Structures are given as structure tokens and as C-alpha cells.
Amino acid sequence: MARSLGVRDHGRDVLENRYVYAVVSRRARGLSIGVNLNPDKVCNFDCPYCQVDRTTPGGPSEIDLPALVGELEGVLELARGGTIWSRPPFDTVAADARRLADIAFAGDGEPTTPKEFPAAARAAREARDRHGLTVPLRLITNATMFHRPAVREGLREFDELWCKLDAGTEAYFHKVDGTRLPFLRVLDNLLLLARERPIVIQSLFLTWDGAGPDEAEIAAYLVRLHDVLVAGGRIDRVQVYTVSRRPADPRVGDLPASRLEEIASAVRNLGIRAEVFGAE
Ligand code: SF4
């Protein structure tokens, strides 16, 4: 059966590359050229809603930077000239999504953990500039590594930092992000960056065995955002969203759009812009 490409299809294999892929992203609102720095599929979180297929083994951890740059150059060339839209499965993309939206470091794990992250970020920015493209270079991150000087250096290459904050309390953080890392590390790192430059917060809310986060959890989440503001941090906007593709964990489901809107409205009451992305 011919493959059609849309927001539900985030397979990394479309271009048959090792590091660079392309997906139609609802939050980026168009074609997102992705850079995967975790071909080994290793992540320091184990979010139950994660879309990465870890039932098949990953590749080597080492990043072959020249190979990554070569792949990126190839995809940028396809995108810049528009020839990507005549190539299957990109020829199936809806007309209103046929725009290059960004170059995003995301992939199959936390992009800031590999030692090659700063060099890869610099190389991606240089490749974008060489191609005369003005699309933003984005980092989609769980904010666990910002305290490392080498990572901070790499962050400077990005136009936008999209930072995960899915919880308000330590216990819920551990549950929805599947980690034993301290919540305080994420909160401290968010503030560290937000004091330097505006950040985007991306917050995924889900149902667990049919129940969404309770009022106390949402209230605590709002306090976390407020804490950033009162400590001098800047939040450009918050993306309130839910799962749009079926996760591996069957206990996880999407939160209704009406509840997402309520959460977004409470975020706006803090004086922060909020966008809602419901399940497709
Ligand atoms: S941080 Fe991202 S890649 Fe890692 S487990 Fe969570 S959703 Fe998956």
C-alpha cells in the first residue's frame, strides 16, 4: 500500500538516513527536518507516552558528524528547491502543510546527552545558513542537561528551545516522564535558561487508566510556571498538548480537548501565551 505522510506518521525511516529525517509536525505547522542524535535509542527519560519504538534495537552511540552533515545537506537541498514535494511519500502531504517549518533536534532520545551535541548543533546551524534558509533551528529537550557547560555552549546555536515540563509535583514527574532524576534539576535548569533568553515550554498531559491529572497536580504545575516568572525567567509560550499517536503503554490515553483548553486558560491567566494541540 502506498504510504501517505501526515501528522500521525513520525517514522524516522522515510528518507532512509541514519540521522536526518523529515516529518509533518502539527506543533511546527509544516515539514520539520529532524536531526536524531540518539540512533542508539537511549534516553534518560522513559516517558510512558514515548513514540520511539524500542522493541527493535538501536544503532551505535557514536555520532559520525561528517555523515550527519552530508545527510542534512541532502535534505536541505531537497527542501530548498521544493523537489521534496514531488517525491513519495512527501507528494501525499496536504497542500496547506507544504512548507518547511524548521530544523529540529529531537529524535530517539534526549538530544543534549551525546558528547557530539555542541558540534552537531553548530554544524546544523552552519548548513542552514549555507543554504540561505531562514527557518528556525529548534531544540526539543527535557532540560535535564542544561547545567553542563558543553551543553550550554551548544544551546547558543539554537533559535528556539522547546523544553518539556509535564508535571507540577515530583511524584507525577517520575510517573509521566519515567525517570528517577530529581524534578528540581529540571526546574533549576529551566530557570537557568529562562533567565538568559525566552524559552518555550511544552507540556504533554495524558490520561492514565482513563484519568487525567487531578486539580492539585495542575495547580502545582501552574505554580512551577509562576515560579519561573517571579524569579526573572521569560517564557515565550506554553504548548499544552496530548498524545496524538498510539503510545506503547496501553494505560496511556489522550486528554480531551476541553480539559487541555482549561489548562491553557489557566496558563494565560499567569500572563503567558498558551497554544493547545489536541489529539488528531
Ligand atoms: S524524553 Fe522524549 S525520547 Fe525520551 S522517553 Fe520521553 S518522549 Fe521519549
Side-chain angles (χ1 to χ4, degrees):
M1 192 168 70
R3 183 175 188 175
S4 68
L5 202 62
V7 294
R8 285 179 173 272
D9 186 347
H10 273 208
R12 311 274 189 237
D13 58 331
V14 173
L15 294 165
E16 296 179 349
N17 283 336
R18 204 173 350 156
Y19 303 107
V20 181
Y21 58 96
V23 293
V24 178
S25 164
R26 61 185 178 146
R27 286 189 292 139
R29 296 187 171 90
L31 189 78
S32 178
I33 295 178
V35 178
N36 178 15
L37 289 189
N38 307 88
D40 58 3
K41 300 187 182 180
V42 173
C43 190
N44 58 1
F45 277 11
D46 186 14
C47 306
Y49 59 78
C50 186
Q51 300 296 323
V52 177
D53 177 9
R54 295 195 169 84
T55 60
T56 57
S61 301
E62 290 290 309
I63 308 291
D64 180 340
L65 202 53
L68 185 155
V69 172
E71 290 181 5
L72 183 57
E73 295 276 0
V75 180
L76 289 176
E77 196 56 45
L78 281 174
R80 186 179 62 161
T83 51
I84 197 165
W85 304 118
S86 56
R87 182 184 162 137
F90 298 98
D91 57 347
T92 65
V93 171
D96 60 357
R98 288 191 180 196
R99 59 177 285 270
L100 178 58
D102 66 12
I103 301 167
F105 277 48
D108 292 347
E110 169 51 35
T112 60
T113 50
K115 64 180 185 314
E116 296 88 351
F117 167 72
R122 191 175 324 113
R125 203 236 326 126
E126 289 171 355
R128 178 200 62 183
D129 295 348
R130 264 198 307 280
H131 284 260
L133 293 165
T134 54
V135 291
L137 186 63
R138 290 183 171 133
L139 174 68
I140 299 177
T141 174
N142 64 21
T144 51
M145 295 291 160
F146 293 174
H147 55 290
R148 291 192 178 169
V151 171
R152 296 279 292 289
E153 192 187 315
L155 297 181
R156 292 197 197 102
E157 307 293 342
F158 290 86
D159 302 294
E160 291 183 18
L161 307 176
W162 289 16
C163 308
K164 184 190 293 294
L165 180 66
D166 294 338
T169 64
E170 182 96 28
Y172 195 70
F173 165 68
H174 289 158
K175 181 174 175 176
V176 295
D177 289 341
T179 182
R180 300 312 299 173
L181 290 171
F183 193 28
L184 193 58
R185 186 201 287 188
V186 171
L187 297 172
D188 284 349
N189 279 350
L190 290 176
L191 181 56
L192 190 70
L193 259 290
R195 277 178 165 155
E196 287 180 5
R197 57 191 286 190
I199 60 171
V200 177
I201 298 282
Q202 44 164 6
S203 300
L204 187 143
F205 295 103
L206 45 71
T207 58
W208 188 277
D209 287 332
D214 61 21
E215 290 297 339
E217 186 61 37
I218 297 302
Y221 163 78
L222 294 167
V223 169
R224 300 305 188 188
L225 294 178
H226 187 248
D227 285 348
V228 173
L229 299 183
V230 297
R234 285 173 294 163
I235 299 173
D236 179 76
R237 64 189 185 279
V238 174
Q239 297 180 338
V240 178
Y241 70 116
T242 191
V243 289
S244 65
R245 299 179 297 281
R246 186 157 32 123
D249 192 321
R251 293 169 297 181
V252 171
D254 56 283
L255 199 64
S258 56
R259 183 64 176 138
L260 297 175
E261 288 291 351
E262 284 174 7
I263 297 169
S265 176
V267 171
R268 292 183 195 113
N269 286 340
L270 297 174
I272 307 171
R273 285 195 298 151
E275 304 170 305
V276 173
F277 299 90
E280 294 292 320

